[in-house]
Amino acid sequence: MDWRDQYKDKLITAQQAAGMIRSGQRVLLSVGTAEPQYLANALCDRWRELRDVEILTSNTMKPYAWFDKERSSAFKIQAGYLSAASRPLYQEKRIEYSINTVYSPAKWLDASRSAPMMNSDVLLITLSPPNEQGFCSFGEQLWYSRVWVERTPLVIAEVNPLLVRTGGDNYVHVSQIDYLVEQPEPTRPFSLTLVVSPDEQEAAEKIGASVASLINDGDTIQIGLGSVSMAAGFYLREKNDLGVHSEIITSAMVDLYKRGVITGKKKTLHPEKMVATGMFMEPEDYAFVDGNPTIELRDAFYTNNPAVIAQNHNQVAINNALSVDFTGQVTAEAFGPQMYTGVAGQLDFVLGAYLSPGGRSITVLPATARGGTVSRIVPMFPEGQIVSLPRTYVDYVVTEYGVASLVGKTERGRAEALVEIAHPQFREELRAAARKRFG
């Protein structure tokens, strides 16, 4: 059968699609900005008919009705990354958090293992319309989508004509989708570039300049999701022939490409290509991405595999943190035992950069929090603090007061280096704490 006929035969309404989901089933949604909003809302409308439907989300963009307390008997929520929409529910202990880096679910595919995110009953995704050959694009968010399509018994796609097309692995054929729902009104791209708060703007500028001092011409960069790390990318405009192998493509990368800074000519893996598995950028930058042969979205099991990352010589990982202790432990996702976001691919890229010939990782954070009243450089994490990066792999730490190089240093040496980049008002008490601890 011609794919065009298949497409017509598979067309249903969002309400018909939602009606296929039964109580007790596990439903997986595509990531973040690619959530199928019409399908999600149609499923939410059935809450009185359903019980214990498990919803698996990651970095959800909208406060869907299944988050409402009155619908808790109908929907059980599990999140792989907390967002502004899902975080309050986690704090109220009304959703569960799944512990993983972006790459670690690769282990969940082993025959002897099982995990909800890789073993669901229903997949709800968003796709572009098919091209002349019948292939649809996953748009700006690929991640695990191809594996999900292969492994999930029932796959329902919401068709959005505004989704971008890229190179790489970012495609699926109509024949692999069970049902299709055309959006009544196309969903426009989200704006998700994280804006640096006014009280951190000066710090971000100084951090960006210090990050630039650690980047060499010809390096391949990764920039993580976070206001300060994403802002730091704009300070690389004086560099030459940078490459991109990253978890996400950001607006800063688009800016650098247009300025001729990013060329990828020196990359040892996929030269002249910007490689990632997702995108978080301003809506106006999607026009640059759409159909651009230099952009390749690849499966997350590939982009975030430390062994693959390390094939790029001079790979540099640039990521946000919330706090760093004297030994170099980093938390980037939690306050004490309370989750705030998720580690995402930060550890994947820190390890990949560590294994890369000439590679290095850069952890960025303002020196203080809460209006300057709290130091982010601390002698010791409190009991129960979740650690995102082990001290053994933390390389450079950057605040607005400078750069601390931790590799090869003793405990005392690390503490001394970190105190020097702490806010001046906290340095004396931090020095006293270092003397007490290390002599």
Side-chain angles (χ1 to χ4, degrees):
M1 181 186 295
D2 184 84
W3 70 260
R4 294 172 181 83
D5 296 326
Q6 290 183 346
Y7 184 92
K8 292 177 183 177
D9 289 346
K10 295 178 179 184
L11 278 176
I12 58 174
T13 67
Q15 289 69 33
Q16 287 173 320
M20 297 179 182
I21 295 169
R22 302 186 302 276
S23 294
Q25 286 192 313
R26 183 177 294 149
V27 180
L28 181 60
L29 264 71
S30 49
V31 175
T33 62
E35 287 172 334
Q37 297 179 45
Y38 288 93
L39 287 172
N41 287 326
L43 180 56
C44 288
D45 289 342
R46 292 191 59 219
W47 69 276
R48 290 185 177 87
E49 310 166 32
L50 298 169
R51 289 291 180 272
D52 297 325
V53 174
E54 188 173 359
I55 305 293
L56 279 71
T57 73
S58 187
N59 203 10
T60 189
M61 295 290 100
K62 297 187 69 176
Y64 295 104
W66 54 47
F67 289 147
D68 295 346
K69 188 174 292 187
E70 67 174 342
R71 290 167 169 77
S72 60
S73 62
F75 302 109
K76 310 298 181 184
I77 313 298
Q78 179 175 312
Y81 188 94
L82 298 178
S83 66
S86 60
R87 190 176 301 121
L89 284 86
Y90 174 80
Q91 293 167 346
E92 295 170 13
K93 297 181 173 58
R94 292 200 290 119
I95 66 174
E96 292 191 46
Y97 172 75
S98 176
I99 299 174
N100 60 277
T101 74
V102 170
Y103 178 67
S104 57
K107 267 297 177 208
W108 303 347
L109 299 176
D110 291 352
S112 60
R113 303 174 193 263
S114 178
M117 197 171 77
M118 292 298 156
N119 296 280
S120 293
D121 301 300
V122 183
L123 171 62
L124 304 180
I125 57 174
T126 306
L127 295 176
S128 74
N131 65 8
E132 288 298 316
Q133 291 76 41
F135 287 96
C136 303
S137 168
F138 293 100
E140 71 268 22
Q141 308 294 351
L142 176 56
W143 305 88
Y144 314 108
S145 297
R146 284 158 54 90
V147 174
W148 286 340
V149 168
E150 293 171 1
R151 294 175 65 89
T152 310
L154 177 60
V155 180
I156 305 173
E158 186 172 296
V159 180
N160 181 357
L162 298 183
L163 287 195
V164 297
R165 295 182 182 273
T166 75
D169 305 321
N170 197 14
Y171 61 88
V172 64
H173 197 268
V174 166
S175 60
Q176 295 178 265
I177 308 301
D178 294 307
Y179 296 98
L180 297 149
V181 174
E182 293 183 332
Q183 290 187 342
E185 183 176 340
T187 303
R188 297 193 174 279
F190 282 91
S191 176
L192 200 68
T193 295
L194 304 184
V195 179
V196 178
S197 62
D199 60 329
E200 292 184 348
Q201 185 60 49
E202 184 179 354
E205 292 174 0
K206 293 178 178 179
I207 289 169
S210 291
V211 168
S213 73
L214 299 173
I215 306 295
N216 302 320
D217 291 346
D219 283 345
T220 293
I221 61 171
Q222 172 259 335
I223 298 176
L225 184 63
S227 58
V228 177
S229 57
M230 293 171 79
F234 288 101
Y235 293 88
L236 304 179
R237 291 171 175 173
E238 303 304 316
K239 303 300 176 180
N240 297 290
D241 291 328
L242 297 183
V244 172
H245 184 106
S246 186
E247 180 178 320
I248 60 172
I249 292 174
T250 68
S251 286
M253 293 173 176
V254 173
D255 173 75
L256 294 174
Y257 184 91
K258 290 179 177 179
R259 293 172 182 272
V261 174
I262 289 176
T263 66
K265 291 180 180 178
K266 302 295 179 65
K267 285 182 70 180
T268 47
L269 183 66
H270 306 296
E272 301 185 3
K273 302 291 186 182
M274 295 171 65
V275 176
T277 194
M279 304 179 197
F280 289 104
M281 57 178 64
E282 291 296 341
E284 59 266 23
D285 290 322
Y286 285 102
F288 166 82
V289 169
D290 192 22
N292 189 331
T294 67
I295 307 292
E296 292 191 348
L297 292 193
R298 294 187 173 272
D299 295 327
F301 293 137
Y302 180 82
T303 59
N304 284 60
N305 183 339
V308 172
I309 296 165
Q311 293 179 47
N312 285 301
H313 292 197
N314 306 307
Q315 173 78 49
V316 184
I318 306 168
N319 290 284
N320 260 39
L322 295 173
S323 185
V324 181
D325 79 359
F326 276 171
T327 69
Q329 293 185 117
V330 171
T331 181
E333 59 189 304
F335 295 102
Q338 186 83 356
M339 287 299 303
Y340 186 73
T341 52
V343 72
Q346 185 166 164
L347 180 57
D348 301 334
F349 274 88
V350 166
L351 291 173
Y354 184 88
L355 296 169
S356 163
R360 52 214 177 276
S361 67
I362 304 170
T363 299
V364 299
L365 71 167
T368 61
R370 298 178 190 170
T373 63
V374 176
S375 176
R376 292 177 184 258
I377 306 295
V378 298
M380 186 182 298
F381 283 150
E383 183 178 356
Q385 175 63 59
I386 293 170
V387 174
S388 307
L389 302 179
R391 61 185 184 170
T392 41
Y393 293 105
V394 176
D395 196 347
Y396 293 100
V397 178
V398 177
T399 74
E400 65 269 38
Y401 295 100
V403 178
S405 176
L406 303 189
V407 169
K409 286 185 168 63
T410 63
E411 289 179 317
R412 182 190 291 113
R414 286 176 172 228
E416 291 172 349
L418 288 166
V419 169
E420 291 304 310
I421 66 168
H423 193 288
Q425 75 182 53
F426 294 107
R427 287 180 192 170
E428 192 50 48
E429 64 181 88
L430 289 170
R431 289 192 184 101
R435 287 192 296 268
K436 181 178 181 181
R437 182 171 178 186
F438 302 119

